[in-house]
Every structure is written in structure tokens, then in C-alpha cells.
Amino acid sequence: RDVTAQAAASADAPYVLLGVISNPPNFKQRALLRRFNAQTGGRRGDGRVPGRGPQVGVEFVVGSEHHKTPPARLSQKLAAEADQFGDLRFVAAREAIPNVGKASEKSAAWWLSAPRRSSAEFFCKTDDDSLIHNAHLAASLWAAAAAAGGDEPLVMLSYIRWRGWLPHYDFQACGGGWGGPLDAIRQMEDPANHCARAEGPFPQGTGTLTCMSRALALLTARDERFGEWLAVARARNDYGAPCQTA
């Protein structure tokens, strides 16, 4: 696993690299998604993405570390699954984090590594409880890139929600959800929610699906502020109060 080498261009590279953030014990979810992906992945030369190899390459993203000591049986089963299917991507992040950002480290680690090691034109992140039709995804991204124009379009496509955010590196949402921007404003203005300092609302890409074009993904991976965010997330995961319900 080389997360620093620059990706070499290849006609066999997928048009889209889809990272599925997965909890290690979710063997059944991954098996279901493999069956679905086999039916919806699209084929070379089907007209949706001309001149490319496979439309969508799928990898299941798991952390290479554990917040505590992982059960030996789980580690053995994961190793066997990796050998059998070859689609597990181990990233430099911890599993079984007790705080809110349970997938924050491995999601960030995937975004940091994926555009550096793959020559895909788009990078998308989803979760193992979401069902993505891969051929439709590739067609949508191809159309978005064509509409944006240029050799290196800066395109972001996501299933979004609107949130208020606390400023000055708080990295904390306050107000908003799935109800749209007006609902977010009402929540931010409600004194009961204690969001007086919040700014926005702003669109937030969700775990369900967030995609970036290659140029934008590389900008993100190389941005020092993204690294600062990850450092804060790791510190909060180390010293924050464990969640009781999340």
C-alpha cells in the first residue's frame, strides 16, 4: 500500500474511483454491495464514458489501526476477505473510535491518498449503508465534467444538506439538517439550539455520496488546511468525551 507515489496514467484506470467507508465487522454489507456492483458497474465501451477502461472501481475503506486492541478473530476474517476479493483498502486511520467522528480519520485518510495513487478522473466517497448505481454515477459525472468544460474541471457532486457552522476552527455544525436552507436558518435562530455564533447555512457534502474531479481532489489532498483539520479531528478523538448514543 503506497499512499504517496504519484499515480501513473493508464487506459485501464477507472473513470471513477469509489471509496466505500466500511466498518470492519460489516461483512454482510460488503458482500451485498459486491453483488450489486457486479450488476451496475457498467462495461468498457458502453458509450457512457468513451475511451476509458472500467467505469467505476470500487474499494472498501477500512482503518489499518484500532483505537484499542482489535479482536483476533476479526483481524483474521478481514485478512481472509482481503485475500479473497482484493478490494479492501487499508488506510492510515483508526477503527472503533468512541467519539462522534467515528469515520472521520479513515475518510480523510482516503481523500488524502486516493488522488495520489490513482489516475481516475473522479473520486467519490460513500458509506457501506448506501446503495450507489455505478453506471449511473459515471454517466452523471461525465455529463458534469462536459458541462464544466476545460482540461481539468473543478467539479464537486454530492448529496447535500444545509448546516450552520461555528467559526474559527471549531469544526462544529450548529443548526440544520435535511430540511433545506430555510429550515437550517430557523434552527440557527432558535435560542434553544445555542447557535448564535454560527455562520451560514452552507451546503455540506454528506457521507451518502461526495465526489470530486481529479483536479479538485488533488487540491484538497495537498491543502495544508485539510491536514490541520485532520490533526484537530485526531486530537478530539484522543481526548474528547465518548458518545453515549451516537
Side-chain angles (χ1 to χ4, degrees):
R1 175 172 55 89
D2 184 352
V3 299
T4 59
Q6 293 295 319
S10 170
D12 292 327
Y15 184 69
V16 182
L17 181 62
L18 178 63
V20 182
I21 307 300
S22 188
N23 190 20
N26 290 356
F27 296 98
K28 291 183 179 179
Q29 286 94 322
R30 292 192 290 274
L32 184 152
L33 289 173
R34 286 188 185 100
R35 292 195 297 271
F36 185 75
N37 292 339
Q39 300 171 6
T40 67
R43 299 179 300 278
R44 181 191 298 270
D46 66 0
R48 291 189 178 89
V49 184
R52 297 292 301 195
Q55 285 197 349
V56 181
V58 179
E59 55 188 31
F60 295 96
V61 182
V62 295
S64 61
E65 307 170 45
H66 203 274
H67 190 262
K68 296 183 179 179
T69 303
R73 178 58 179 158
L74 175 60
S75 297
Q76 294 168 359
K77 290 183 66 177
L78 272 179
E81 181 183 11
D83 289 341
Q84 180 180 0
F85 297 104
D87 58 2
L88 294 189
R89 172 63 61 176
F90 293 91
V91 296
R94 295 176 294 180
E95 294 287 356
I97 295 170
N99 302 327
V100 171
K102 295 181 183 296
S104 58
E105 291 185 19
K106 61 183 174 182
S107 179
W110 186 82
W111 282 114
L112 284 168
S113 70
R116 289 185 165 103
R117 58 180 166 78
S118 171
S119 57
E121 294 297 326
F122 277 93
F123 299 87
C124 297
K125 176 265 178 191
T126 188
D127 294 329
D128 64 7
D129 58 356
S130 299
L131 203 58
I132 306 297
H133 192 294
N134 290 340
H136 291 175
L137 174 63
S140 297
L141 292 171
W142 183 43
D151 295 332
E152 297 183 342
L154 299 177
V155 176
M156 183 173 184
L157 182 147
S158 182
Y159 186 62
I160 67 169
R161 58 182 176 179
W162 291 83
R163 306 297 303 271
W165 293 88
L166 298 181
H168 307 305
Y169 285 82
D170 277 307
F171 299 119
Q172 182 176 339
C174 195
W178 300 108
L182 291 180
D183 182 64
I185 291 172
R186 284 192 290 268
Q187 291 188 36
M188 292 166 64
E189 293 178 344
D190 185 343
N193 293 326
H194 306 288
C195 294
R197 292 179 52 239
E199 298 179 355
F202 303 101
Q204 174 200 7
T206 65
T208 303
L209 180 68
T210 293
C211 300
M212 297 186 202
S213 61
R214 176 171 182 77
L216 184 57
L218 281 170
L219 284 174
T220 301
R222 295 167 177 166
D223 195 319
E224 292 183 359
R225 290 166 294 186
F226 190 28
E228 292 171 1
W229 176 89
L230 180 56
V232 171
R234 288 187 67 94
R236 289 184 176 179
N237 289 335
D238 284 333
Y239 304 111
C243 295
Q244 300 300 317
T245 58

